Amino acid sequence: MSIALRFLGGAREVGRSCIELELGESGRILLDSGINLGSGDRNPIEPFGKVDALLLTHAHLDHSGYSPEIVKSHDCPLFSLPPTRDLSELLLLDLLSLTPKEERTFTHEDVMYLRKKEKLVSYEIPFTLRNAEIIFFDAGHVLGSAMIYIKFNGKRILYTGDINLTNTRTVRGAQLDLPAVDYLIIESTYGGNSDVHPSRKKVERKFVMDIEKVIESGGKVLVPVFALGRAQEVLLTLIDHMDSGVLQKVPIFVDGMIKEVNKIYTIHWFWLRPELRNKIRALRKSPFDHPYVDEVRDRREIVDINEPYIVVTTSGMLQGGPVLDYLKYIGTDRRNLIYLTGYQVKGTLGRELLDGKRDITLPRTGETVHIEADVKFADFSAHADQVNLLRFISSIKDLKEIFLVHGEEEKMIDLEKKIDERGLTVYRPSLGELVRL
Ligand SMILES: [Zn+2]
Ligand SMILES: [Zn+2]
């Protein structure tokens, strides 16, 4: 009985990650079911038959955004780590609220139905599904993120989802003591030759120093972040540097879904890196509770403040959310600073700013804004860079073939060459491509 892999999304693109695994006659499982957040088709290709189970690596919408539609139409169970369930529910409800009524493809009830179909799993605990052995391993990307190992009929597959090998403030780097694998499906977001992440320490230092300079001269700082993962890293960085006296104590206003995600990070403390876990247990409070951190209740009051402050808000790529309101005020004053902190997908406003465009059109309202504030980028990445992707590949025993997913094509080509030089077989599957193992 052979295995057929179909790449339903995330093939030569970042977004709508979705891989179909046909296990001979035993059944069909999906690995992730995400949507596209930038330009291009929103949804993955529909599966080629009845789906028996959906397995989620983590809660980011490019991996989970299409799960309500899949679970509803196939009435299948949904497997993930406990934090992923809570986080993806939050992100899906937020997505729903931001989608105009006529464009919605799922309902509030569909999101609630996921709860009924959920099967919670843990790292490193094997279970059997449709005659396959499945194990989730820690991917080190965000809270609850996992790589998925599948063994069926003697063939072993590992799908990385999004991975990060280095420790961050909230989670430990990905596990490297993995079982031997024949086929590896690996993300390649930062697989390009020029993709070298500086150490987190360096990134944090520059980030804090740049902000300090702007505050010193009376300016304000706008930090657009992804609500899940990046927001928590940025907040803990700011809090820590204020506590140690490196950064001046000014108000940090938190707006958007970040507050809710912070709560889930605190509730699910068990899955955080041990240092943070122990701190939460010892202090018996959220690590995001701090005298200088304030939740925004009325946005108009904030923009009227004449003193320096920092706003940490969504969305990270500026394609919607409260950040657009702040952009109109903070972005139009040359004393201020906009600090982008994450990957900016092609076709998003964040990418335009990063590429130097200053006359921008706000999504939805169509308003035009001229950006006078300085724009900087901090590489707080939660993805492995090229060196680390290669290090991860080298750590895997018995590897026969590698499939690159979740990357822009130029970056994949760079990574493909590097893997090829090491004498390993590597492919860049195209959208909808079928591969028999
Ligand atoms: Zn992710
Ligand atoms: Zn992703």
Side-chain angles (χ1 to χ4, degrees):
M1 284 203 287
S2 70
I3 303 175
L5 277 182
R6 270 197 197 89
F7 296 88
L8 306 183
R12 303 184 188 183
E13 63 183 346
V14 176
R16 56 169 174 168
S17 284
C18 190
I19 297 159
E20 183 184 284
L21 217 61
E22 205 183 289
L23 304 168
E25 303 285 304
S26 291
R28 188 185 310 269
I29 58 180
L30 281 194
L31 306 175
D32 283 339
S33 179
I35 56 165
N36 219 330
L37 295 164
S39 51
D41 290 339
R42 177 190 182 272
N43 300 338
I45 297 176
E46 286 301 321
F48 282 69
K50 166 91 175 69
V51 174
D52 298 302
L54 169 58
L55 279 52
L56 286 189
T57 58
H58 65 291
H60 279 148
L61 290 172
D62 59 321
H63 298 257
S64 78
Y66 198 57
S67 52
E69 287 93 332
I70 291 290
V71 170
K72 188 186 182 186
S73 55
H74 297 268
D75 201 24
C76 62
L78 174 68
F79 292 79
S80 77
L81 266 288
T84 300
R85 280 302 315 120
D86 285 352
L87 290 165
S88 65
E89 178 180 298
L90 182 67
L91 265 56
L92 287 166
L93 290 176
D94 183 62
L95 173 69
L96 193 64
S97 72
L98 295 173
T99 311
K101 271 205 175 78
E102 58 281 7
E103 290 172 29
R104 290 179 188 170
T105 51
F106 63 90
T107 64
H108 190 274
E109 288 70 40
D110 295 338
V111 179
M112 291 305 125
Y113 190 62
L114 298 176
R115 281 282 175 199
K116 285 195 176 162
K117 305 300 284 183
E118 75 182 14
K119 302 261 187 224
L120 298 179
V121 301
S122 197
Y123 293 132
E124 293 183 74
I125 309 285
F127 61 96
T128 306
L129 181 66
R130 299 274 156 181
N131 297 322
E133 184 191 359
I134 314 277
I135 314 175
F136 282 56
F137 290 101
D138 194 346
H141 172 62
V142 290
L143 183 69
S145 66
M147 303 181 259
I148 304 173
Y149 168 91
I150 306 113
K151 186 178 176 187
F152 178 76
N153 208 18
K155 294 192 171 89
R156 301 156 301 177
I157 302 165
L158 182 74
Y159 168 50
T160 62
D162 291 352
I163 48 165
N164 189 19
L165 264 57
T166 51
N167 295 337
T168 62
R169 285 188 176 261
T170 53
V171 289
R172 279 258 173 108
Q175 267 182 271
L176 287 175
D177 51 337
L178 298 169
V181 165
D182 305 297
Y183 305 96
L184 174 68
I185 307 165
I186 187 169
E187 68 129 319
S188 42
T189 322
Y190 287 98
N193 291 341
S194 57
D195 291 327
V196 183
H197 297 322
S199 75
R200 183 54 73 94
K201 228 182 190 154
K202 269 192 193 154
V203 172
E204 286 191 358
R205 184 172 299 260
K206 185 175 181 304
F207 177 69
V208 168
M209 288 307 169
D210 288 341
I211 290 177
E212 173 68 19
K213 222 182 279 169
V214 171
I215 290 171
E216 187 70 48
S217 57
K220 294 166 185 149
V221 183
L222 175 60
V223 190
V225 288
F226 305 131
L228 165 55
R230 202 60 38 89
Q232 291 69 39
E233 294 288 328
V234 163
L235 282 174
L236 292 178
T237 301
L238 293 172
I239 288 170
D240 192 34
H241 285 87
M242 275 188 187
D243 284 346
S244 65
V246 177
L247 186 61
Q248 278 190 56
K249 291 189 172 64
V250 296
I252 304 169
F253 295 113
V254 177
D255 202 348
M257 215 191 1
I258 299 164
K259 306 164 242 180
E260 314 301 325
V261 177
N262 287 352
K263 276 183 205 145
I264 296 177
Y265 265 63
T266 310
I267 292 165
H268 287 288
W269 54 266
F270 177 77
W271 308 95
L272 292 166
R273 70 178 285 184
E275 295 81 351
L276 189 56
R277 187 161 76 193
N278 295 340
K279 195 173 162 190
I280 294 172
R281 292 178 81 182
L283 298 176
R284 291 178 177 277
K285 66 173 193 125
S286 163
F288 308 104
D289 277 353
H290 189 269
Y292 283 86
V293 177
D294 211 352
E295 294 181 0
V296 175
R297 273 161 291 275
D298 187 347
R299 226 163 273 164
R300 284 163 306 180
E301 282 179 14
I302 311 294
V303 295
D304 285 343
I305 298 173
N306 268 327
E307 302 290 313
Y309 59 77
I310 303 166
V311 178
V312 179
T313 188
T314 52
S315 74
M317 296 188 279
L318 297 95
Q319 74 277 48
V323 70
L324 298 181
D325 283 345
Y326 294 105
L327 202 59
K328 283 189 274 182
Y329 297 97
I330 300 179
T332 48
D333 187 333
R334 59 176 345 121
R335 288 174 304 171
N336 299 341
L337 168 65
I338 301 166
Y339 225 132
L340 300 168
T341 55
Y343 186 80
Q344 305 294 319
V345 172
K346 273 183 189 167
T348 61
L349 196 54
R351 180 67 167 250
E352 287 182 2
L353 272 183
L354 194 61
D355 290 343
K357 199 170 164 190
R358 289 297 174 266
D359 286 305
I360 54 165
T361 308
L362 299 185
R364 303 209 196 283
T365 63
E367 244 175 299
T368 52
V369 177
H370 181 73
I371 299 297
E372 287 280 348
D374 195 8
V375 178
K376 288 186 189 296
F377 175 76
D379 189 358
F380 271 96
S381 179
H383 295 266
D385 60 9
Q386 194 195 60
V387 170
N388 277 308
L389 288 169
L390 291 167
R391 183 159 76 93
F392 180 78
I393 290 167
S394 312
S395 76
I396 293 181
K397 294 175 280 290
D398 294 356
L399 207 48
K400 286 194 187 81
E401 284 171 30
I402 299 165
F403 302 94
L404 303 182
V405 293
H406 198 294
E408 288 171 12
E409 202 160 4
E410 316 85 73
K411 292 181 187 285
M412 284 187 166
I413 292 169
D414 284 352
L415 184 62
E416 186 181 35
K417 276 189 193 138
K418 287 278 154 67
I419 298 172
D420 197 51
E421 283 165 15
R422 285 158 195 241
L424 290 160
T425 309
V426 53
Y427 300 105
R428 277 178 290 120
S430 55
L431 188 66
E433 195 170 332
L434 168 83
V435 181
R436 290 197 188 279
L437 306 181

